[in-house]
């Protein structure tokens, strides 16, 4: 999921207790572990977003250049979202059940907590060495080697740094994957996490062969016709609560499984709906409640910077960043919305 993963802004929740950026000793430890390994397993969070999958594929490509045997996966439901199938290097992906049961070296990417690895959490617990690469300030501090920087705009930033420290020159495939990760988690370079350093990294990736037009088209500028009908229904059901979120305003809608199946639209096509709701002038916070194939609801949340959604969604079992977060809810979304209203009021 892009908002947690996913799929998915300003990573500064809980600043007082946020992990410190890795020092040179931590980076060197990660490099030594990788250089000593013949086989490396990679894992990212369930329902991966562009940052999770792009970072993992870029690192996997670099490890192959070093002559490592690489396998990569993510927990069920296993399937690359349609919008990310253009990313190169997916031949390293295997179903989670085919990952080593107790890997000698496992690298977890873009996951703030072992639970975000889903069915691969057990393999992380049994790994001989576990390296964690992440940029969520709510990171639980798991793993023996932690390359966690809450000030990084994306996990792709940290993956690129590790690739550089491994001495592997960026090629076109690595650059394309890293650029997709960077663009995803900066909202196409429009979130406040977009710093001069972010643009400098983007420039290096372009110089190495990344194709920004292809990334933009696949992530934001294409959809099947059925999606338009699902979007129209979601917008027609949208509700504006001007007094919610401490008077800053809340806009929300729902999309049932039946809504999208009637149009032949998969769950992974729904990511862009919230970007339309987020445009509402009268609302600081936008919410889309999406029913998954197994009957649960994923609640995606966006803010414009005035409300820190990371702590709000963490209180409901999810997480994410300040402006982009979410959580999974076991039943109908009405109770979830009630909880959200209360938490948003307290936050403001």
């Amino acid at each position: 999921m892009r908002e947690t993963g996913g799929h998915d802004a300003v990573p500064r929740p809980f600043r007082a207790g946020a992990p410190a950026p890795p020092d040179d000793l931590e980076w060197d430890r990660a490099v030594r572990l990788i250089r000593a390994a013949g086989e490396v397993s990679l894992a990212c969070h369930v329902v991966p977003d562009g940052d999770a999958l792009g970072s993992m594929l870029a690192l996997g490509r670099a490890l192959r250049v070093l002559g490592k045997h690489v396998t990569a996966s993510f927990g069920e439901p296993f399937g690359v979202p349609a919008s990310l199938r253009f990313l190169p290097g997916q031949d390293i992906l295997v179903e989670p059940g085919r990952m080593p049961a107790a890997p000698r070296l496992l690298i977890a990417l873009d996951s703030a907590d072992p639970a975000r690895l889903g069915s691969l959490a057990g393999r992380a617990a049994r790994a001989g060495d576990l390296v964690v690469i992440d940029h969520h300030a709510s990171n639980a501090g798991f793993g023996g080697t932690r390359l966690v920087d809450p000030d990084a705009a994306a996990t792709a930033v940290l993956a690129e740094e590790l690739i550089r420290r491994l001495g592997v020159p960026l090629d076109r495939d690595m650059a394309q994957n890293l650029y997709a990760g960077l663009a995803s988690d900066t909202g196409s370079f429009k979130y406040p996490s977009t710093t001069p350093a972010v643009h400098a990294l983007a420039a290096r990736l372009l110089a190495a062969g990344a194709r920004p037009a292809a990334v933009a088209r696949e992530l934001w500028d294409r959809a099947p016709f059925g999606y338009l009908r699902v979007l129209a229904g979601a917008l027609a059901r949208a509700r504006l609560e001007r007094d919610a979120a401490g008077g800053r305003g809340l806009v929300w809608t729902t999309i049932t499984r039946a809504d999208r199946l009637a149009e032949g639209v998969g769950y992974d096509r729904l990511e862009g709906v919230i970007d339309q709701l987020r445009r509402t002038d009268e609302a600081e916070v936008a919410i889309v409640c999406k029913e998954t194939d197994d009957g649960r609801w994923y609640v995606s949340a966006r803010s414009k910077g005035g409300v820190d959604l990371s702590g709000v969604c963490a209180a409901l079992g999810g997480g994410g960043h300040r402006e982009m977060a979410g959580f999974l809810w076991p039943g109908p979304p009405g109770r979830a919305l009630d909880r959200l209203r209360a938490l948003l009021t307290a936050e403001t």
Side-chain angles (χ1 to χ4, degrees):
M1 72 197 69
R2 297 176 192 175
E3 50 273 357
T4 58
H7 237 54
D8 36 188
V10 183
R12 290 185 173 88
F14 311 122
R15 290 302 294 148
D23 57 21
D24 284 337
L25 290 175
E26 202 77 359
W27 284 108
D28 290 345
R29 185 180 301 115
V31 169
R32 286 197 305 272
L33 288 171
I34 290 170
R35 291 201 177 280
E39 180 176 356
V40 183
S41 300
L42 305 177
C44 67
H45 63 70
V46 296
V47 193
D49 57 10
D51 191 26
L53 187 60
S55 298
M56 185 167 71
L57 293 176
L59 181 57
R61 168 66 179 161
L63 295 175
R64 279 189 162 183
V65 170
L66 291 174
K68 311 299 180 184
H69 177 70
V70 181
T71 54
S73 191
F74 47 88
E76 291 88 355
F78 182 75
V80 174
S83 63
L84 300 179
R85 291 174 190 164
F86 76 103
L87 293 177
Q90 296 188 28
D91 57 306
I92 67 171
L93 295 176
V94 300
E95 293 184 359
R98 294 176 55 198
M99 290 282 279
R104 294 288 299 275
L105 174 60
L106 177 67
I107 301 177
L109 297 101
D110 205 40
S111 299
D113 185 275
R116 295 290 293 128
L117 298 174
S119 60
L120 294 177
R123 286 169 168 81
R126 293 188 296 271
D129 289 292
L130 176 61
V131 176
V132 175
I133 305 175
D134 186 35
H135 72 129
H136 295 87
S138 56
N139 189 283
F142 70 108
T145 302
R146 294 181 285 274
L147 306 179
V148 180
D149 185 354
D151 290 326
T155 292
V157 174
L158 300 163
E160 189 270 345
E161 175 69 7
L162 179 57
I163 292 169
R164 184 187 69 80
R165 288 176 180 255
L166 287 168
V168 180
L170 292 175
D171 65 15
R172 184 177 65 182
D173 286 355
M174 290 180 228
Q176 187 79 337
N177 281 311
L178 291 169
Y179 187 90
L182 191 63
S184 293
D185 264 28
T186 58
S188 191
F189 305 97
K190 66 186 178 185
Y191 294 152
S193 58
T194 305
T195 63
V198 165
H199 281 300
L201 173 55
R204 295 198 299 275
L205 298 175
L206 293 181
R211 302 178 301 282
V215 171
R217 171 172 168 76
E218 297 294 338
L219 292 184
W220 297 291
D221 295 341
R222 59 177 299 182
F225 180 74
Y227 167 79
L228 300 181
R229 297 175 64 90
V230 172
L231 174 62
L235 296 180
R237 288 188 296 274
R239 296 292 179 265
L240 174 64
E241 300 180 13
R242 298 173 184 269
D243 295 332
R248 295 173 182 259
L250 166 68
V251 61
W252 61 272
T253 193
T254 59
I255 303 172
T256 68
R257 178 174 47 185
D259 292 333
R260 55 185 178 78
L261 291 182
E263 302 297 339
V265 174
Y267 176 84
D268 62 353
R269 289 287 190 179
L270 303 181
E271 184 67 25
V273 174
I274 197 164
D275 294 322
Q276 299 303 313
L277 257 67
R278 188 176 180 270
R279 301 173 63 181
T280 305
D281 286 338
E282 299 88 346
E284 166 66 25
V285 178
I287 300 292
V288 176
C289 303
K290 302 171 288 188
E291 188 179 12
T292 66
D293 288 333
D294 63 6
R296 293 181 294 173
W297 290 78
Y298 190 81
V299 181
S300 294
R302 299 288 187 274
S303 84
K304 297 173 181 175
V307 175
D308 185 350
L309 293 174
S310 58
V312 169
C313 289
L316 295 172
H321 306 305
R322 181 181 183 88
E323 294 181 335
M324 180 169 59
F327 61 93
L328 196 60
W329 191 254
R335 178 59 177 159
L337 287 165
D338 289 342
R339 294 285 303 281
L340 270 171
R341 291 184 186 96
L343 289 166
L344 289 170
T345 298
E347 175 65 26
T348 55

